[in-house]
Amino acid sequence: MDLILQGIIKAFHLIVSFDPEVISITWLSLKISGTATLISLFVGVSVGVAVALNDFFGKRLVISIINTGMGLPPVVVGLFVTIMIWRSGPFGFLEILYTPYAMIIAQAVIATPIVMGISLAAIQNLPPNLRLQILSLGASRLQMVWVLVKESRLPLLAAVMAGFGGVISEIGASIMVGGNIKGYTRVLTTATVMETGKGNFDLAIALAIILLLLAFTINFLLTQIQQRQQSR
């Protein structure tokens, strides 16, 4: 109990004193995970909506693959991203291994199936005749898709929260492709693991609390937007 209390006190001290290293680590965590979430939104919503609105051979197989991807182990993602961008790998010429760019790619791969699966389910759960009603009013197919996306905005906001939550707390892929380099690729999760390994439990608890506060703040803001939309 004393150790946890010391961690809470240290976390409060680090926050109110604007510790430069902690602020840098927190900002990098937010930047990497935020960018990865935005990428996953663009790709995930686009593919999810396209799969939901089109009938094609093997659609059930594709949906099964997407649903499986929602539980993709981060270490598996880290392994394959590392192989792809390794010096002798297909994209080794980019020289982005152990950089924030590699971490963004890995986190985007993790978040995209989550966003994709929720987006697909959100569109499929709309009334089947809604798209026909929209088209009968003279809307183009693109306009019809936009209206359907707007109708699904509440579950899509849940997709944002799920995608961001999945990557901000991720450790396996980040440490594999980022290397936990101080001042460059060290984020809250990798720093927490490192401090725990060194036996600095008070600092590790402090970093964990800051991570929880960051995740809570982002999700709280998104929830407020979601609930405001629902009340309209």
Side-chain angles (χ1 to χ4, degrees), residues 18-187:
F18 292 99
D19 181 82
E21 185 174 358
V22 171
I23 294 298
S24 174
I25 290 173
T26 303
W27 170 242
L28 183 62
S29 300
L30 187 59
K31 187 163 59 174
I32 289 174
S33 297
T35 304
T37 303
L38 288 175
I39 294 171
S40 71
L41 279 176
F42 178 76
V43 178
V45 172
S46 300
V47 176
V49 171
V51 172
L53 294 180
N54 292 281
D55 292 320
F56 54 89
F57 178 76
K59 180 175 179 177
R60 291 186 178 181
L61 176 61
V62 171
I63 294 175
S64 297
I65 293 172
I66 292 172
N67 291 335
T68 301
M70 293 177 71
L72 202 60
V75 289
V76 174
V77 174
L79 172 62
F80 282 98
V81 171
T82 299
I83 292 172
M84 296 299 288
I85 62 178
W86 195 259
R87 282 174 293 181
S88 56
F91 300 100
F93 65 92
L94 296 174
E95 298 182 350
I96 58 173
L97 186 62
Y98 304 133
T99 68
Y101 300 109
M103 298 172 73
I104 290 171
I105 292 171
Q107 291 192 7
V109 173
I110 293 169
T112 297
I114 298 174
V115 175
M116 200 180 295
I118 296 175
S119 301
L120 191 156
I123 298 297
Q124 285 186 323
N125 284 332
L126 290 174
N129 294 327
L130 180 58
R131 70 186 73 173
L132 297 177
Q133 293 173 358
I134 297 170
L135 291 173
S136 67
L137 293 173
S140 65
R141 184 168 176 81
L142 185 61
Q143 289 173 324
M144 180 265 292
V145 171
W146 176 245
V147 172
L148 293 178
V149 169
K150 286 179 66 177
E151 288 296 315
S152 304
R153 60 188 180 276
L154 296 181
L156 290 180
L157 278 171
V160 178
M161 289 186 277
F164 181 80
V167 293
I168 192 67
S169 59
E170 184 279 323
I171 174 63
S174 294
I175 205 166
M176 290 174 73
V177 304
N180 196 28
I181 303 170
K182 183 177 181 179
Y184 190 49
T185 61
R186 183 168 297 168
V187 292

